[in-house]
């Protein structure tokens, strides 16, 4: 697992298809951003990546303790798109 | 589109389910990282988010020029996981 790679290809007029090992998903913008909402947009995937890493490490830390059992963990990662720079993200909470 | 949010919930013993507006996908680690490979891992989603934003902006720039037509765009984002810090990513190419 020393190197990781993601390939993106044009999928249709606005969407891209991401291939990650044996997984594929569509990346697109919502209609308000000029896309067709065929999938999450890049900025949303960034939040998902941060949340996914956090969840993974949290669960590993819990699993390492035999005396702790935690179920139904849920977390929300939010960010605000700056009015000044439309594609600038400010993480607001996790 | 001022605020964006992603919610993650425990999905099974190792995977998480990410919900982004009306989209959902599973985040998991490969078996070599203790997961069951039900989906990409967080670090891979980070690469996908960077590539997705790049692709989106590249295509918007192309679309803004009436005299240019580009098809079959493909790009690969790669990163190396550091040997010293197992979860540390070094972007190597796009």
């Amino acid at each position: 697992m020393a190197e990781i790679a993601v390939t993106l290809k044009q999928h249709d007029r606005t969407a891209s298809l991401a291939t990650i090992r044996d997984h594929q998903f569509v990346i697109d913008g919502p209609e308000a951003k000029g896309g067709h909402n065929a999938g999450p947009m890049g900025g949303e995937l960034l939040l998902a990546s941060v949340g996914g890493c956090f969840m993974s490490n949290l669960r590993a830390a819990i699993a390492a303790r035999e005396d702790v059992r935690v179920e139904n963990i849920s977390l929300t990662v939010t960010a605000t798109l700056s009015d000044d720079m439309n594609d600038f993200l400010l993480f607001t909470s996790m």
Side-chain angles (χ1 to χ4, degrees), chain A residues 11-91:
Chain A
H11 185 59
D12 61 19
R13 203 174 63 76
T14 63
S16 300
L17 181 68
T19 301
I20 302 173
R21 292 178 289 113
D22 43 349
H23 307 293
Q24 287 194 315
F25 58 90
V26 173
I27 303 173
D28 197 6
E31 289 174 12
K33 299 272 287 181
H36 292 99
N37 196 29
M41 60 178 181
E44 291 167 328
L45 286 176
L46 177 62
L47 271 58
S49 74
V50 172
C53 284
F54 183 87
M55 181 78 98
S56 173
N57 284 287
L58 176 64
R59 293 179 68 179
I62 292 168
R65 293 195 52 164
E66 289 179 9
D67 55 338
V68 176
R69 184 177 172 90
V70 179
E71 292 181 345
N72 299 321
I73 300 172
S74 173
L75 65 93
T76 300
V77 189
T78 65
T80 301
L81 295 175
S82 164
D83 290 331
D84 299 326
M85 292 177 285
N86 195 36
D87 289 322
F88 178 75
L89 283 179
L90 178 68
F91 281 95

